[in-house]
Amino acid sequence: MKKILALVIALMIACVGMTCAMAEEDFYIGYSNMQLAEDFFITVSNGLKAAAEANNVKFEETIANRDAVLMAQNIEAFLMKGVDMVIDFNVLAETGSEMAARCAEQGVPMISVDCLYDGAYFFGVDNYGAGVALGEGACEFVDEKLGGEIEYIVSLWDSQSGDTIKSRCTGVVDVLAEKYGVDEDHQIWIDSLADDVKTGTMTRDWLNSNPDAHKIVFVGQNDDRGYAINNAVETLGRTADCIIVSHNADPASLENLEAHLDGDTAWVCTASYNSHLYGEQIMDMALRILKGEEVAQSEYTKVSVVSYKNVEEYKATL
């Protein structure tokens, strides 16, 4: 009986030891998020939460609503709480670089998502490469819908995001301008101010100022801008004059493509960054960093171009 009791006690001690060892493997990650209003950010947030739970990671999220001061305050609060890592998805290059330096002072690594910060690891999109891929995908529709000619390329982007994010539009413009001979005077850049209502107003104003333009390519920095552009184009009855391409493959763009499998839409394609995999991939990168493994400074997600011609095939992979 004493032997059995001793064995039970030994097993209990071993289990306690294993629990402690497991606890020592745990990490505390602070996620500084921009917002939870747009689909892409919601998907990434949900993916990170699921990945944190699956990996026994303590996870805390804050929302800054693209406010640089609030973003800095949130990250400072994380540092005060003793996080092991900060992940930031505010896409504010200047403030992000400052906070990456602040984290480094505390010995805390940072991963920036979709925007390069000096001194931080990066996960996200090769923005220019994604733009090139989307531009190449758009050529098929320029040929089919606009007769292989472009009068104007109009890009709506958010200046606060910086040049790195802008390059996802630049890549599209470069491909189309070279292939179809569009000079700089006919490459129009409009600051969307990160506002869908203003994006729609600016689009309508530009179209009303150019009533004789009939071969126009609109480039949206993301699908929220694409949605606003498309609404303006449809409202003015200019669908036949335009094609629209954008980034993210959010539900709104996919729903539009599925609703127009016959191609009767100006919003013809979107670049997918496979956002449903972001959380899993970012958490994997974070854990490798925290465990001291060798990790490249930048890691990239796969980019796919989705149009009304392949949207059903794409949706089947989700």
Side-chain angles (χ1 to χ4, degrees), residues 55-215:
N55 288 280
N56 203 29
V57 170
K58 182 178 179 181
F59 182 82
E60 184 175 347
E61 180 177 17
T62 59
I63 305 297
N65 291 315
R66 206 74 186 287
D67 183 320
V69 174
L70 183 55
M71 168 189 167
Q73 291 173 345
N74 289 340
I75 293 175
E76 286 286 359
F78 282 146
L79 295 176
M80 289 286 290
K81 292 177 180 180
V83 297
D84 297 302
M85 170 174 282
V86 171
I87 301 171
D88 183 82
F89 195 5
N90 274 285
V91 197
L92 292 171
E94 183 176 351
T95 304
S97 296
E98 292 171 358
M99 295 315 298
R102 180 79 181 99
C103 288
E105 290 174 1
Q106 302 294 314
V108 175
M110 176 190 279
I111 297 176
S112 64
V113 181
D114 275 353
C115 187
L116 290 172
Y117 298 167
D118 294 336
Y121 289 92
F122 170 85
F123 179 86
V125 181
D126 173 0
N127 283 280
Y128 185 77
V132 168
L134 184 58
E136 291 173 345
C139 290
E140 175 181 3
F141 302 102
V142 173
D143 293 340
E144 291 180 2
K145 291 181 170 291
L146 302 181
E149 298 178 15
I150 299 175
E151 294 172 286
Y152 290 97
I153 305 172
V154 184
S155 300
L156 286 104
W157 68 294
D158 173 13
S159 62
Q160 289 182 331
S161 298
D163 290 339
T164 300
I165 300 298
K166 182 182 180 181
S167 69
R168 66 174 59 171
C169 296
T170 305
V172 178
V173 174
D174 286 351
V175 169
L176 297 180
E178 181 177 356
K179 183 174 177 63
Y180 298 101
V182 183
D183 61 37
E184 290 188 4
D185 289 340
H186 291 79
Q187 299 171 26
I188 312 301
W189 291 89
I190 301 174
D191 187 353
S192 68
L193 303 174
D195 187 301
D196 294 337
V197 174
K198 292 177 181 177
T199 295
T201 299
M202 293 171 184
T203 302
R204 287 191 298 274
D205 288 346
W206 189 89
L207 285 169
N208 285 330
S209 298
N210 294 272
D212 297 326
H214 301 292
K215 298 178 183 297

